[in-house]
Amino acid sequence: MKPARFGYHAPQSVEETCQLLASLEDAKVLAGGQSLVPLLNFRLARPAHLVDINRIGNLDRIYERDGGVAVQALARQSTVEDSELAARLCPLLPAALRQVAHRVIRNRGTVCGSLAHADPASELPAVMLALNGHVVAASARGQRIIPAADLFTSVMQTALAPDELLVEAWFPGAHGKYAIAEESRRHGDFALAGAVRYGDRLALFGVAATPVMADPRDPTKGLQPSGDLEATPEFRLHLVRALTERLFAA
Amino acid sequence: MKVNGVAHPVPVDPRRLLSDHLRHDLGLTGTHVGCEHGVCGCCTVLLDGAPVRSCLMLAVQAEGHEVTTIEGLAQSGSPLHPVQQAFHECHGLQCGFCTPGFVMSVVGLLREHPDPTPEQVDEGIAGNLCRCTGYASIRRAVHRAAELSKK
Ligand SMILES: Cc1cc2nc3c(=O)[nH]c(=O)nc-3n(C[C@H](O)[C@H](O)[C@H](O)COP(=O)(O)OP(=O)(O)OC[C@H]3O[C@@H](n4cnc5c(N)ncnc54)[C@H](O)[C@@H]3O)c2cc1C
Ligand code: FES
Ligand code: FES
């Protein structure tokens, strides 16, 4: 057995899930498992309880709301990628999804899971920030909306409380000029640095603890990216300048 | 859950990964395990027809679903599945460690794109790693598999 022992719960509804999250100590939501299960396998995460939301019915819808696209917690990334509605209302979203991992991973991974996981090198958090979207969080205490600008607080940290379920992500209708570009060592890997353009707005990912908004005319201002085996801080800054130039030249 | 058409109870321990359940409990060792974090693609199986990583699923999550492994593509003694036949013809394997994962990914790819462009082929196999054959012959095998599947 690779993962450490955990209590397994498979609630059938959002209400039941919220109840479980309110009552269990040290519980983690299991959605697509494409980020959480690797952490469990390597025992980098050892939650006492897993709340598997995959048995909840009617939580996989993709629908139009307030002129934008609402994506519920169990909508798989591959389904959103193929969604005609998403392509029509917010084509940046499917374009960004095609850069997330590989199709086989996207067959399980969810859009909401990617936002909740908040990997700083992830595409979707930056897309949500560039578009000024929001997420809807539910708990036994009720529902609340968290705007993108308040959602990402640090490396893999969000404003979601431990007892909250992210039930829906909302991406505004986006008809201005949009583009996403990133550089990675191999196709499908996490980006060394990436940039999302929507109109005059620029969001960067992979270069700070969270996705960040930047000034297209001076995109590296104030940035202090970290260095690792794959890229030095200087190289990341270079990538930011090059990617920004590419996005705004088009 | 159903595995290759046969109903099986799910394991009692929720910690059991689907990949380990297939290999250790059901003896279906054709599903290989390389990395256990989703990167190598060796453990790819079909879940209700779509390719997924079996190392990133708990076996209990497959309850009520249909799993297809490499063993389920062709009965022993009967002709190979078109994708297997194509890998054979085009030298798409050497040691074979990566092969079950490639074959299952390609079955999924051809289901979505029966006539894949070279870009779709590259995209479709990008999530699988092979350390010995080299991707040129695997690419060729995918195109050949598309041909064979139409016959
Ligand atoms: C090989 C590989 C390559 C990848 N490459 C990329 C990439 O290039 N870019 C990228 O962005 N991602 C990449 N990923 C990650 C992938 O996109 C994941 O699917 C995604 O990050 C998490 O979504 P999930 O549904 O699988 O969530 P899970 O793995 O189930 O959960 C991830 C985390 O979010 C929490 N969570 C999930 N859903 C909810 C919810 N509804 N409410 C509250 N909390 C929740 C979980 O508790 C957990 O902490 C890659 C993954 C793999 C295996
Ligand atoms: S063992 Fe599952 S992807 Fe490598
Ligand atoms: S054939 Fe040996 S790893 Fe691919």
Side-chain angles (χ1 to χ4, degrees), chain A residues 34-35 37-39 41-42 105, chain B residues 33-41 43 53 55-56:
Chain A
Q34 303 301 291
S35 294
V37 178
L39 295 174
N41 286 352
F42 291 155
I105 306 288
Chain B
V33 166
C35 69
E36 299 194 312
H37 62 287
V39 173
C40 74
C43 67
R53 301 286 198 245
C55 72
L56 299 187

Side-chain angles (χ1 to χ4, degrees), chain A residues 1-6 8 30 34 37-38 41-43 52 54-55 102-105 107-108 186-187, chain B residues 13-15 17 20 35-38 47 51-53 55-58 60-61 63 112 123 126-127 129:
Chain A
M1 303 281 176
K2 282 94 186 182
R5 221 171 269 287
F6 52 79
Y8 178 75
L30 174 63
Q34 303 301 291
V37 178
N41 286 352
F42 291 155
R43 299 199 176 188
D52 181 356
N54 287 278
R55 302 272 162 197
H102 309 283
R103 181 78 180 180
V104 176
I105 306 288
N107 278 341
R108 284 297 286 174
R186 291 176 315 164
H187 175 77
Chain B
D13 197 328
R15 289 198 281 165
L17 299 176
D20 287 342
C35 69
E36 299 194 312
H37 62 287
L47 181 77
V52 300
R53 301 286 198 245
C55 72
L56 299 187
M57 265 186 80
L58 306 172
V60 287
Q61 295 187 287
E63 185 161 19
E112 289 189 330
E123 187 70 38
L129 299 180

Side-chain angles (χ1 to χ4, degrees), chain A residues 148-228:
Chain A
D150 300 337
L151 181 60
F152 309 106
T153 52
S154 182
V155 178
M156 296 186 185
Q157 301 288 320
T158 66
L160 286 167
D163 68 339
E164 279 181 317
L165 178 70
L166 200 171
V167 283
E168 183 172 300
W170 180 74
F171 298 87
H175 303 288
K177 252 201 164 129
Y178 70 87
I180 177 166
E182 67 179 53
E183 197 59 43
S184 58
R185 288 286 175 203
R186 291 176 315 164
H187 175 77
D189 279 7
F190 277 102
L192 301 175
V196 182
R197 172 187 180 185
Y198 177 56
D200 292 334
R201 288 169 67 83
L202 173 69
L204 305 174
F205 55 101
V207 291
T210 64
V212 286
M213 294 300 296
D215 178 352
R217 284 157 306 185
D218 188 6
T220 55
K221 191 173 161 193
L223 277 187
Q224 288 185 308
S226 56
D228 51 37

Side-chain angles (χ1 to χ4, degrees), chain A:
Chain A
M1 303 281 176
K2 282 94 186 182
R5 221 171 269 287
F6 52 79
Y8 178 75
H9 310 265
Q12 310 269 340
S13 68
V14 169
E15 294 69 39
E16 201 189 328
T17 306
C18 291
Q19 228 97 78
L20 282 166
L21 291 176
S23 61
L24 295 171
E25 196 72 32
D26 187 24
K28 274 256 168 230
V29 170
L30 174 63
Q34 303 301 291
S35 294
L36 182 53
V37 178
L39 295 174
L40 296 175
N41 286 352
F42 291 155
R43 299 199 176 188
L44 292 169
R46 319 176 54 132
H49 297 276
L50 280 191
V51 179
D52 181 356
I53 60 173
N54 287 278
R55 302 272 162 197
I56 303 179
N58 286 323
L59 197 60
D60 61 353
R61 286 172 59 223
I62 304 164
Y63 65 99
E64 184 169 351
R65 173 159 70 76
D66 306 324
V69 194
V71 179
Q72 290 189 315
L74 282 177
R76 308 289 164 183
Q77 292 163 353
S78 59
T79 315
V80 181
E81 179 185 351
D82 297 343
S83 150
E84 184 273 326
L85 185 81
R88 184 159 47 82
L89 294 177
C90 186
L92 172 57
L93 180 56
L97 278 164
R98 283 189 273 278
Q99 312 255 346
V100 175
H102 309 283
R103 181 78 180 180
V104 176
I105 306 288
R106 298 195 294 271
N107 278 341
R108 284 297 286 174
T110 64
V111 166
C112 289
S114 175
L115 296 167
H117 191 60
D119 188 304
S122 258
E123 290 81 1
L124 300 183
V127 166
M128 172 156 271
L129 188 65
L131 290 173
N132 224 344
H134 68 235
V135 299
V136 181
S139 70
R141 296 169 283 132
Q143 281 211 347
R144 65 176 178 134
I145 284 179
I146 309 175
D150 300 337
L151 181 60
F152 309 106
T153 52
S154 182
V155 178
M156 296 186 185
Q157 301 288 320
T158 66
L160 286 167
D163 68 339
E164 279 181 317
L165 178 70
L166 200 171
V167 283
E168 183 172 300
W170 180 74
F171 298 87
H175 303 288
K177 252 201 164 129
Y178 70 87
I180 177 166
E182 67 179 53
E183 197 59 43
S184 58
R185 288 286 175 203
R186 291 176 315 164
H187 175 77
D189 279 7
F190 277 102
L192 301 175
V196 182
R197 172 187 180 185
Y198 177 56
D200 292 334
R201 288 169 67 83
L202 173 69
L204 305 174
F205 55 101
V207 291
T210 64
V212 286
M213 294 300 296
D215 178 352
R217 284 157 306 185
D218 188 6
T220 55
K221 191 173 161 193
L223 277 187
Q224 288 185 308
S226 56
D228 51 37
L229 279 176
E230 303 211 301
T232 59
E234 295 72 35
F235 184 49
R236 285 201 159 88
L237 292 174
H238 166 75
L239 288 176
V240 166
R241 282 187 289 266
L243 293 169
T244 304
E245 203 172 305
R246 201 189 300 165
L247 291 186
F248 283 85

